[in-house]
Amino acid sequence: MSKLMLGIIDATTYKEEMKDLTFNRSIAAVPFAGRYRLIDFVLSNMVNSGIESVAIFPKYQYRSLMDHLGSGKNWDLNRKRDGLFFFPSPDLPVPQIGSFQHFQQHIDYFLRSSQKYALICNSYTVCNMDYEAILQRHIENKCDITQIRHQGKSLNMFILETSLLLELISTQQQTGYQSIIDVVHDPTNQLTICDYEYSGYVAVIDSIESYFLHSLELLRPNIWKQLFLKSRPIYTKVKDEPPTRYMNGSNVKNSMIANGCIIEGHVENSIIFRSVKIGKGTVIKNSIIMQKSQIGDQCQLNNVIIDKDVRISDGTHLFGTKEQPFVIQKGTMQGALMNS
Amino acid sequence: MIRKKCVAMLLAGGKGSRLNSLTKNLAKPAVPFGGKYRIIDFTLSNCTNSGIDTVGVLTQYQPLELNTYIGIGSAWDLDRKNGGVTVLPPYAESSEVRWYKGTANAIYQHLNYLKQYDPEYVLILSGDHIYKMNYSEMLEYHIEKKADVTISVIEVPWEEASRFGIMNTNEEMEIIEFEEKPVHPKNNLASMGIYIFKWSILKEFLEIDNCNPESSHDFGKDVIPLLIEKKKRLVAYPFKGYWKDVGTVKSLWEANMDLLVEEPSLDLFDHFWRIYSVNPNEPPQYIAPSADVKESLVNEGCIIEGKVEKSVLFQGVYIGQETTIKHSVIMPNTVIGENVYLEKVIVPPNMEIPNGTVIYAREQDDVILVTEELLENLKGREGGQR
């Protein structure tokens, strides 16, 4: 039934609070949970809900996002009919999610699509949600717009008829609505706005703090079990990494480890991405180490986020706090002396 | 069809009957290896890494899982507009299905596939071995030596030479004699079952072999001796590096354990010679607070709550609390309960090992392949020991 629905991912958001992780990438492309990017969750949810046409509207730094998504093959979206579409509009000012001006620039996509309904989502909400069930409810309750909420707060996810969306886009001058959010916030319009309360696990990643908190939260089995379901897998770009090697002297507790790592040290309460090396005698606690970073021997790391391709030389000590993790930017080197 | 310089023919029809229950419903090349791979991944990845983009895969026994796995070859970047991977099953004619009578007959049945590409050279491979090899270097050697046929050989320990097909060569590395499993070997260069043929020679000799009713239609037994007899130029290509036939439960176990030594001679972490495979969509592995993992290879989707030592764990394996796994290979999606002790065993895919099971090999050289039957037998006994 969701073949009737377009998936629209608004990846235009920029959050100042995330800037240490978004110098070279959009929030949608921020690495998460050991082997994913944030956008994988919403994209996989759409595909698992039967959506076959997905349009992504990016704005800032979308090189790494495009590299990640490619032809859409990993999400089964490399299709002759429908599939994955990419609509950047770097010059437009984007006030908030679901910008009509942004959609207007690519109106042909909406005009050419035959799907009756459209689902508009942001790119940084981590969950495993079945949109098919929500669409069902939307139709049954004869709603004009369904807004998905979690614990009362809007998740910036909306379902509406494509024809209504087209009408809202084309009448934006007269109505003054700049985005879908303006529409649901206006109590005076004649539309039936429904709320759908989603009770499953949701993590909204909009700051370093929430990134850190929700990442480490994944180490609780009752949480990752809600996110990684065998029947509704989260897809991502495939890397041909070998299995992870645990060496003599490795000691890993309560951690999530991706493939291709070589671990010789101690790792506790941490998330380790693909192809990370952790040296002898090194102790890593409550930290996130992103792909291809190399941590030398005899290092001590606690409450640290290490971005991609970082080298930490032997004997380095790095400490952040739970509230303010120490973030090391992509591609940098960190030595023992630099920090003292 | 655009002409190809070199086309590979991969013999993947082996029954692998010495792998017992592992190959009951599975062709040998599809047997899992190394925590995430299947045996055939090594040969297919070698092809891609050597720049060979046209590969015919000859299947026969239990082909379903193997065919599904190969698909259109995208995992190895072999989904090409021109060439790519083609699965070649035995021909079914209106009157009968003609099973492959031997390795040479298998290729003979698919001469039409080769004719399409009209290559200069044909590389013949088997899907039964674990190794990394640059076939383009072997091809250069073949061209340089002006050979009709080049056969890749590896030095084996003299005391084991009588288990292999041995090539007797002169100083020029020309093959003057081939002996299948000689009782008194004169040389220790074993054939690796990798041949490069001049296409014209291959065509000619397969036609001759096919007409010979006495022949068993096998490369080693029939075609190579015939080529030597007819004074064709056969050259041995010496290969150095890791190469292992994983034809038995023991050798499959050994090859897995070879990956766990301090510096394995087969490097899976070499980014310049990646081993490609169909990647399952599994989340990262979760190592619980109660777990202890040492000197092991662990793949994505595993959940480990127990102790794992010197073992290889494939994707989606669960290891329960108070369980110890030592020197073992646990294949995909197997669930191992609590208080289990396994040592020196191979557990096939998708098995469930109940709580409290104890299985270990008694004899120094034994490796136990866990089967449903074995588990059934253990049920009645106290402690479930073997």
Side-chain angles (χ1 to χ4, degrees):
Chain A
M1 191 182 65
S2 290
K3 281 187 182 161
L4 300 174
M5 192 149 64
L6 293 176
I8 296 158
I9 301 178
D10 188 319
T12 58
T13 317
Y14 175 79
K15 299 268 183 193
E16 182 64 21
E17 298 85 348
M18 286 283 281
K19 81 168 190 298
D20 284 345
L21 294 176
T22 52
F23 277 110
N24 300 301
R25 55 170 86 95
S26 60
I27 291 187
V30 167
F32 189 75
R35 62 191 290 269
Y36 306 93
R37 305 282 183 143
L38 287 176
I39 199 170
D40 290 341
F41 292 87
V42 61
L43 194 53
S44 302
N45 290 343
M46 285 180 170
V47 171
N48 289 335
S49 304
I51 291 175
E52 294 183 344
S53 177
V54 177
I56 296 176
F57 290 84
K59 184 172 166 67
Y60 303 96
Q61 301 284 12
Y62 50 82
R63 180 202 54 81
S64 92
L65 185 61
M66 283 193 79
D67 175 55
H68 178 69
L69 298 171
S71 64
K73 193 173 179 170
N74 288 308
W75 296 265
D76 227 357
L77 286 171
N78 55 333
R79 302 295 181 84
K80 289 210 169 169
R81 178 182 292 187
D82 292 332
L84 187 69
F85 299 87
F86 216 71
F87 299 128
S89 297
D91 302 333
L92 281 182
V94 177
Q96 50 195 346
I97 282 173
S99 159
F100 293 149
Q101 215 183 341
H102 201 155
F103 295 159
Q104 176 73 51
Q105 286 225 328
H106 303 281
I107 197 76
D108 283 359
Y109 168 74
F110 299 95
L111 292 172
R112 277 184 201 147
S113 300
S114 56
Q115 282 84 346
K116 194 175 175 199
Y117 299 94
L119 165 70
I120 303 175
C121 290
N122 66 67
S123 62
Y124 50 81
T125 301
V126 174
C127 58
N128 194 326
M129 199 183 283
D130 179 9
Y131 294 120
E132 203 159 358
I134 305 173
L135 174 62
Q136 187 75 45
R137 178 84 80 80
H138 175 85
I139 296 169
E140 276 167 17
N141 292 351
K142 300 194 171 61
C143 305
D144 289 318
I145 301 178
T146 294
Q147 176 171 222
I148 305 170
R149 292 172 177 272
H150 179 65
Q151 294 172 348
K153 274 170 75 179
S154 172
L155 287 176
N156 288 328
M157 298 181 184
F158 309 92
I159 291 175
L160 68 168
E161 276 193 27
T162 312
S163 59
L164 174 61
L165 181 60
L166 273 165
E167 190 191 314
L168 289 166
I169 294 169
S170 62
T171 59
Q172 54 183 303
Q173 299 289 345
Q174 298 92 297
T175 59
Y177 297 142
Q178 291 186 346
S179 74
I180 186 86
I181 293 179
D182 292 346
V183 182
V184 297
H185 283 177
D186 182 4
T188 65
N189 65 38
Q190 302 298 305
L191 299 168
T192 314
I193 314 283
C194 306
D195 283 326
Y196 180 93
E197 173 66 27
Y198 177 72
S199 56
Y201 175 76
V202 175
V204 178
I205 311 296
D206 53 5
S207 65
I208 297 286
E209 213 182 327
S210 61
Y211 176 83
F212 192 59
L213 178 84
H214 292 306
S215 290
L216 295 185
E217 207 172 58
L218 293 172
L219 299 174
R220 305 220 297 263
N222 65 332
I223 287 184
W224 60 253
K225 276 180 186 157
Q226 292 185 61
L227 214 45
F228 301 114
L229 308 172
K230 279 246 189 291
S231 55
R232 302 171 52 84
I234 306 298
Y235 302 98
T236 189
K237 184 181 177 185
V238 158
K239 295 270 159 77
D240 286 271
E241 293 295 341
T244 279
R245 265 193 92 182
Y246 294 84
M247 310 292 280
N248 193 2
S250 81
N251 185 0
V252 180
K253 305 271 182 228
N254 195 38
S255 294
M256 204 173 230
I257 319 266
N259 264 3
C261 298
I262 298 179
I263 301 178
E264 301 190 69
H266 289 228
V267 179
E268 212 180 300
N269 303 329
S270 295
I271 307 234
I272 312 292
F273 282 68
R274 294 189 270 212
S275 263
V276 167
K277 287 198 173 72
I278 297 173
K280 288 188 194 86
T282 286
V283 179
I284 296 177
K285 286 183 180 169
N286 311 307
S287 293
I288 296 161
I289 320 281
M290 293 190 198
Q291 55 271 42
K292 290 189 268 181
S293 283
Q294 303 194 5
I295 320 292
D297 297 342
Q298 310 295 340
C299 294
Q300 297 221 11
L301 276 57
N302 197 349
N303 292 312
V304 174
I305 299 175
I306 291 179
D307 206 326
K308 271 177 80 173
D309 299 314
V310 171
R311 273 165 181 274
I312 308 281
S313 43
D314 294 352
T316 307
H317 292 196
L318 299 171
F319 302 108
T321 63
K322 218 173 158 187
E323 295 72 32
Q324 265 198 313
F326 192 66
V327 183
I328 295 183
Q329 281 168 26
K330 187 178 161 183
T332 53
M333 295 232 324
Q334 193 78 24
L337 295 172
M338 294 178 206
N339 205 37
S340 58
Chain B
M1 209 62 81
I2 299 169
R3 229 183 139 200
K4 293 280 177 185
K5 187 175 175 190
C6 182
V7 171
M9 296 295 267
L10 203 169
L11 297 158
K15 247 185 181 165
S17 35
R18 286 175 303 156
L19 285 168
N20 303 333
S21 69
L22 279 176
T23 43
K24 206 173 116 201
N25 300 306
L26 198 62
K28 181 179 165 192
V31 166
F33 174 80
K36 83 174 276 198
Y37 310 97
R38 293 184 189 245
I39 297 171
I40 198 172
D41 285 331
F42 289 82
T43 324
L44 286 174
S45 300
N46 285 343
C47 285
T48 299
N49 288 326
S50 304
I52 291 169
D53 63 5
T54 309
V55 185
V57 181
L58 296 99
T59 59
Q60 180 150 275
Y61 295 104
Q62 300 294 354
L64 175 65
E65 202 167 328
L66 181 61
N67 291 357
T68 312
Y69 185 71
I70 295 169
I72 57 165
S74 24
W76 308 270
D77 221 2
L78 287 171
D79 50 335
R80 304 294 175 95
K81 282 223 190 304
N82 176 38
V85 81
T86 309
V87 174
L88 304 168
Y91 262 50
E93 293 193 349
S94 51
S95 52
E96 51 167 352
V97 178
R98 295 208 219 149
W99 290 100
Y100 300 142
K101 280 174 243 153
T103 50
N105 178 255
I107 306 282
Y108 176 80
Q109 285 201 27
H110 292 287
L111 280 179
N112 279 337
Y113 170 77
L114 288 166
K115 280 175 188 163
Q116 288 182 95
Y117 296 105
D118 191 23
E120 284 175 65
Y121 308 100
V122 179
L123 169 66
I124 293 171
L125 302 165
S126 95
D128 294 353
H129 301 118
I130 305 291
Y131 66 110
K132 298 200 290 188
M133 179 174 175
N134 193 338
Y135 303 133
S136 63
E137 284 172 11
M138 180 175 168
L139 182 59
E140 271 169 42
Y141 179 92
H142 174 84
I143 295 167
E144 205 176 285
K145 289 268 179 185
K146 297 193 172 60
D148 291 319
V149 182
T150 301
I151 302 175
S152 183
V153 294
I154 188 161
E155 271 187 51
V156 294
W158 278 96
E159 61 273 20
E160 285 179 33
S162 53
R163 286 176 38 218
F164 292 92
I166 294 295
M167 299 289 165
N168 297 326
T169 53
N170 61 19
E171 305 84 66
E172 306 274 86
M173 290 307 275
E174 260 186 300
I175 297 162
I176 44 175
E177 193 187 8
F178 171 76
E179 291 182 290
E180 183 72 38
K181 299 188 177 132
V183 186
H184 303 291
K186 296 175 209 147
N187 202 347
N188 66 338
L189 292 178
S191 166
M192 297 163 67
I194 301 168
Y195 313 102
I196 292 180
F197 275 82
K198 244 188 216 164
W199 166 223
S200 53
I201 296 282
L202 178 71
K203 216 168 15 179
E204 184 189 335
F205 278 79
L206 286 182
E207 301 279 2
I208 298 173
D209 175 73
N210 188 56
C211 294
N212 178 5
E214 308 288 305
S215 172
S216 57
H217 308 296
D218 186 84
F219 274 103
K221 283 190 205 105
D222 308 288
V223 179
I224 302 300
L226 185 68
L227 283 156
I228 295 171
E229 189 192 313
K230 298 281 181 199
K231 300 274 183 271
K232 292 294 164 192
R233 188 168 159 80
L234 276 75
V235 175
Y237 172 73
F239 171 78
K240 286 196 169 55
Y242 188 88
W243 178 78
K244 190 134 185 152
D245 181 355
V246 284
T248 63
V249 173
K250 175 94 185 295
S251 63
L252 179 66
W253 177 83
E254 278 170 356
N256 276 287
M257 293 302 123
D258 286 344
L259 298 170
L260 302 177
V261 300
E262 186 76 34
E263 280 185 37
S265 38
L266 183 80
D267 183 10
L268 296 176
F269 285 76
D270 179 2
H271 282 186
F272 297 99
W273 204 272
R274 270 185 205 271
I275 305 303
Y276 300 102
S277 64
V278 176
N279 284 263
N281 240 303
E282 298 270 2
Q285 48 203 268
Y286 174 66
I287 314 296
S290 56
D292 184 7
V293 187
K294 294 227 159 51
E295 293 177 84
S296 295
L297 272 178
V298 181
N299 199 12
E300 286 166 339
C302 286
I303 299 172
I304 303 181
E305 298 185 3
K307 196 174 167 191
V308 177
E309 210 183 297
K310 291 198 175 151
S311 295
V312 176
L313 270 53
F314 284 72
Q315 66 268 18
V317 165
Y318 172 80
I319 310 280
Q321 292 195 9
E322 306 293 330
T323 281
T324 299
I325 311 289
K326 271 186 186 174
H327 307 277
S328 294
V329 179
I330 317 292
M331 291 189 175
N333 303 315
T334 279
V335 175
I336 297 179
E338 294 170 13
N339 291 301
V340 171
Y341 184 88
L342 300 180
E343 186 175 346
K344 239 182 152 181
V345 303
I346 295 182
V347 187
N350 306 313
M351 287 197 89
E352 271 184 47
I353 309 288
N355 294 348
T357 307
V358 176
I359 305 171
Y360 56 88
R362 266 207 196 131
E363 301 283 318
Q364 194 57 38
D365 319 348
D366 249 13
V367 176
I368 296 170
L369 177 64
V370 177
T371 57
E372 295 291 351
E373 238 182 329
L374 173 64
L375 291 177
E376 199 58 39
N377 287 342
L378 286 177
K379 254 188 195 168
R381 268 187 274 169
E382 185 68 26
Q385 217 174 85
R386 176 182 155 152

